Amino acid sequence: MLIQNDIDILMKLNMNAIVQKSRIANNAAENAIVWIIVTGALCFLIAFVLLIKLPGSIVNPILQLTESIKQIANQNYSQRINLERHDEYRDLARSFNVMAEKLEEYSNSKLEKILKEKKRVETLINKMHDPVIGLNENKIIIFINDEALKITGLSRSEVLNKPVQDIAVTNDLMRTLIVDLINPSIKKDEAPLKIFSDDKESYFEKEIINIEINKTGENVTELIGYVILLKNITIFKELDSAKTNFIATISHELKTPISSIKMSTQLLEHSETGSLNDEQRQLIEGIKEDSARLLQITGELLNMSQVETGNIQLNIQSTDPGIIVRYAIDTTKLQAEQKKIKLQMDVEPDIPNIVADVEKTAWVLINFLTNAIRYSIEDSEIIVSLRKEDKGALFSVKDFGKGIDSRYKKKIFERYFQIPGSLKSGSGLGLAISKEFIETQGGTIGVESEPGMGSTFFFIVPYSKI
């Protein structure tokens, strides 16, 4: 009986222990399920966050970097990338910002501006229709435009950064362009250059410009290079040629009827044609003066057409210069007497013969005398001198008129130029023709004048070597 009781108590204790263990196991299982659910939820939440944030954290820096690169490409060098990270992207952003800062510093520097201006100037020069060649102070070609390359027949690679003397050795045109640059003592040829261009003969005027700068803080200039500029004057040459032919034709056609008018007026003055009253005589005198002036103008125009076409026909011979002086005075004596002007001849003795075209040289001296008489007041005098000079015989005509302003001395020998306010009776060609006649004979011509003190026109003709 006691044993049975002990067994019941033992079984009851065992059942209680089993129940207790089962309860603990259930609690542990429930806790495990709860933790599994919580952990699963946390994992899902973390996965969801990563799904949303991770692509952006990778792509956004790349997009920001791409946009910044575009800004830099558009020369917006102030662009920067700001990334609050601690990985490779931050290092990349830092390197990019350093590059952008240096580019901004370069963009704001003078060097960038200088290079930009250099490109602008080079583009401008290359767009010019006239040939342009630039040299530095050592005569090395630093730029040349397409027009210059076309007429020289060279390529840019053949001439850039090369000494111009080396190019001139094998290129005739380049040698012509730099001849007075290499040898400044050589007398400059002012005649236009004739160059075959655009499938025809073209004419160019050459100009060499010295490029000088003022040194900072100093009142001295420094030569830094040269620019050879060729101005295409072909169209003007063609127009000038057409004008010359037109003037020559018209002058030739006018000369015959004017001579006929002059002859008719001379016939009217003879008594055989009938008597004239005072009014008729005045009309005839006016016709004679006008026809004489027209003949003079047409003659000058014909002479000018010869000069312009280069067809001056010279009869060069050795002659006594005194003969020319006396002939010129005899020719203009009547004209001077009409204004009561006294012609004084001052001839130095023993002057050697000169080599000249007597007719054209006398024409020049007569032109000087005619102008002096025209601009001299009545009851004055004109001195015609002949002197010996080292280079030749010096012919001069001195008047005591109002003189010539210094502003017009260099222009007085230009074609069609007339001093403002002067008599407009001439064509403005006489002195220009005189200059051509004398210089064609190897002589020189000029004028000395002061306002109110009169003028002295002179020319020198070389001596005969015989």
Side-chain angles (χ1 to χ4, degrees):
M1 190 66 181
L2 291 173
I3 294 171
Q4 183 66 38
N5 291 334
D6 290 335
I7 291 171
D8 291 338
I9 294 169
L10 182 61
M11 289 183 65
K12 188 182 288 185
L13 291 172
N14 188 38
M15 289 299 293
N16 290 334
I18 292 171
V19 171
Q20 185 68 25
K21 290 290 185 181
S22 177
R23 189 182 297 114
I24 293 172
N26 289 334
N27 290 336
E30 290 176 358
N31 290 336
I33 292 171
V34 170
W35 280 108
I36 289 172
I37 292 172
V38 170
T39 302
L42 287 175
C43 290
F44 176 79
L45 183 62
I46 291 171
F48 180 78
V49 171
L50 289 176
L51 181 65
I52 298 300
K53 297 291 185 179
L54 184 61
S57 65
I58 297 174
V59 174
N60 288 342
I62 296 176
L63 292 177
Q64 188 176 355
L65 180 62
T66 302
E67 181 62 27
S68 298
I69 291 173
K70 290 181 180 179
Q71 293 295 326
I72 293 292
N74 291 328
Q75 299 182 351
N76 181 15
Y77 302 126
S78 61
Q79 182 70 24
R80 298 291 185 271
I81 299 178
N82 297 314
L83 294 179
E84 298 297 333
R85 301 169 65 109
H86 299 280
D87 53 12
E88 291 81 1
Y89 285 111
R90 187 186 65 173
D91 295 336
L92 180 61
R94 186 183 296 115
S95 299
F96 179 88
N97 291 339
V98 171
M99 178 195 70
E101 185 176 354
K102 290 185 177 181
L103 285 174
E104 185 177 17
E105 181 182 359
Y106 168 76
S107 177
N108 294 329
S109 68
K110 291 183 179 179
L111 178 60
E112 193 270 343
K113 293 180 181 178
I114 291 172
L115 291 176
K116 188 174 182 179
E117 292 302 321
K118 180 175 179 290
K119 289 182 179 180
R120 181 183 287 116
V121 171
E122 288 177 347
T123 303
L124 177 63
I125 291 173
N126 205 45
K127 294 295 182 181
M128 292 178 65
H129 297 296
D130 293 327
V132 181
I133 304 173
L135 315 173
N136 65 11
E137 65 276 16
N138 297 318
K139 300 181 179 64
I140 294 176
I141 299 176
I142 55 177
F143 63 81
I144 181 170
N145 68 353
D146 292 341
E147 290 295 324
L149 291 173
K150 183 168 64 176
I151 66 171
T152 57
L154 299 169
S155 65
R156 203 176 301 275
S157 60
E158 289 178 308
V159 297
L160 278 184
N161 302 317
K162 304 288 180 61
V164 71
Q165 297 95 319
D166 295 348
I167 307 298
V169 171
T170 56
N171 190 281
D172 293 337
L173 177 56
M174 192 68 76
R175 185 162 56 251
T176 302
L177 295 178
I178 67 169
V179 62
D180 49 356
L181 181 63
I182 302 301
N183 298 311
S185 59
I186 295 178
K187 184 179 179 182
K188 294 182 179 180
D189 186 6
E190 297 182 356
L193 294 174
K194 186 163 63 173
I195 303 172
F196 190 81
S197 176
D198 296 328
D199 298 326
K200 66 176 181 179
E201 286 186 342
S202 301
Y203 293 86
F204 295 85
E205 280 187 351
K206 181 183 71 172
E207 182 179 5
I208 297 180
I209 305 170
N210 293 341
I211 307 301
E212 298 176 340
I213 60 171
N214 291 323
K215 290 186 176 181
T216 304
E218 300 181 23
N219 293 325
V220 294
T221 59
E222 179 183 4
L223 180 68
I224 62 171
Y226 312 86
V227 173
I228 302 175
L229 176 64
L230 296 179
K231 185 177 181 181
N232 194 331
I233 59 169
T234 305
I235 185 171
F236 302 106
K237 192 75 175 176
E238 292 172 349
L239 290 173
D240 189 62
S241 177
K243 178 263 299 178
T244 300
N245 292 333
F246 174 77
I247 289 176
T249 302
I250 293 298
S251 300
H252 182 75
E253 294 297 327
L254 288 176
K255 200 166 186 179
T256 300
I258 293 172
S259 298
S260 177
I261 292 171
K262 188 176 181 180
M263 184 178 295
S264 299
T265 57
Q266 291 175 348
L267 290 174
L268 288 173
E269 290 180 318
H270 289 294
S271 58
E272 288 83 357
T273 58
S275 60
L276 301 173
N277 57 37
D278 293 338
E279 291 182 354
Q280 291 171 333
R281 290 185 183 280
Q282 290 178 358
L283 290 173
I284 289 177
E285 286 297 324
I287 294 172
K288 286 174 61 178
E289 291 177 1
D290 290 340
S291 59
R293 185 167 67 253
L294 287 173
L295 275 176
Q296 179 187 358
I297 292 173
T298 53
E300 289 178 350
L301 289 173
L302 284 172
N303 286 332
M304 196 70 244
S305 64
Q306 288 184 7
V307 169
E308 291 180 341
T309 56
N311 295 326
I312 300 177
Q313 298 177 355
L314 296 176
N315 182 19
I316 301 294
Q317 58 184 345
S318 178
T319 186
D320 179 5
I323 296 176
I324 297 175
V325 173
R326 288 188 288 272
Y327 174 76
I329 290 178
D330 290 341
T331 303
T332 56
K333 184 183 296 184
L334 179 60
Q335 186 180 353
E337 289 176 351
Q338 291 176 348
K339 287 189 68 173
K340 300 178 182 178
I341 295 174
K342 186 176 182 180
L343 297 181
Q344 296 279 11
M345 186 169 65
D346 182 13
V347 178
E348 187 176 341
D350 301 325
I351 296 180
N353 283 1
I354 59 173
V355 55
D357 184 308
V358 177
E359 180 182 350
K360 288 181 171 54
T361 305
W363 187 94
V364 174
L365 192 58
I366 291 170
N367 184 64
F368 283 179
L369 278 168
T370 302
N371 289 339
I373 294 169
R374 181 183 302 152
Y375 294 107
S376 294
I377 60 175
E378 292 187 357
D379 296 320
S380 61
E381 67 175 0
I382 295 173
I383 302 175
V384 183
S385 300
L386 181 60
R387 292 278 184 270
K388 284 190 291 187
E389 293 286 334
D390 294 338
K391 295 181 179 180
L394 172 64
F395 297 79
S396 65
V397 175
K398 179 177 177 58
D399 65 62
F400 298 91
K402 63 180 181 180
I404 301 172
D405 193 295
S406 58
R407 294 176 295 174
Y408 308 123
K409 285 183 181 179
K410 292 183 178 180
K411 297 183 178 181
I412 198 74
F413 291 99
E414 293 180 1
R415 301 173 190 175
Y416 308 108
F417 178 79
Q418 291 182 328
I419 298 174
S422 63
L423 300 175
K424 302 294 184 181
S425 57
S427 62
L429 291 172
L431 292 177
I433 295 171
S434 299
K435 183 175 185 292
E436 294 288 344
F437 281 171
I438 296 302
E439 291 183 349
T440 303
Q441 298 178 76
T444 57
I445 192 169
V447 60
E448 295 175 353
S449 181
E450 293 293 337
M453 302 297 291
S455 305
T456 301
F457 285 84
F458 64 87
F459 61 86
I460 298 175
V461 180
Y463 295 124
S464 173
K465 296 181 180 179
I466 300 176

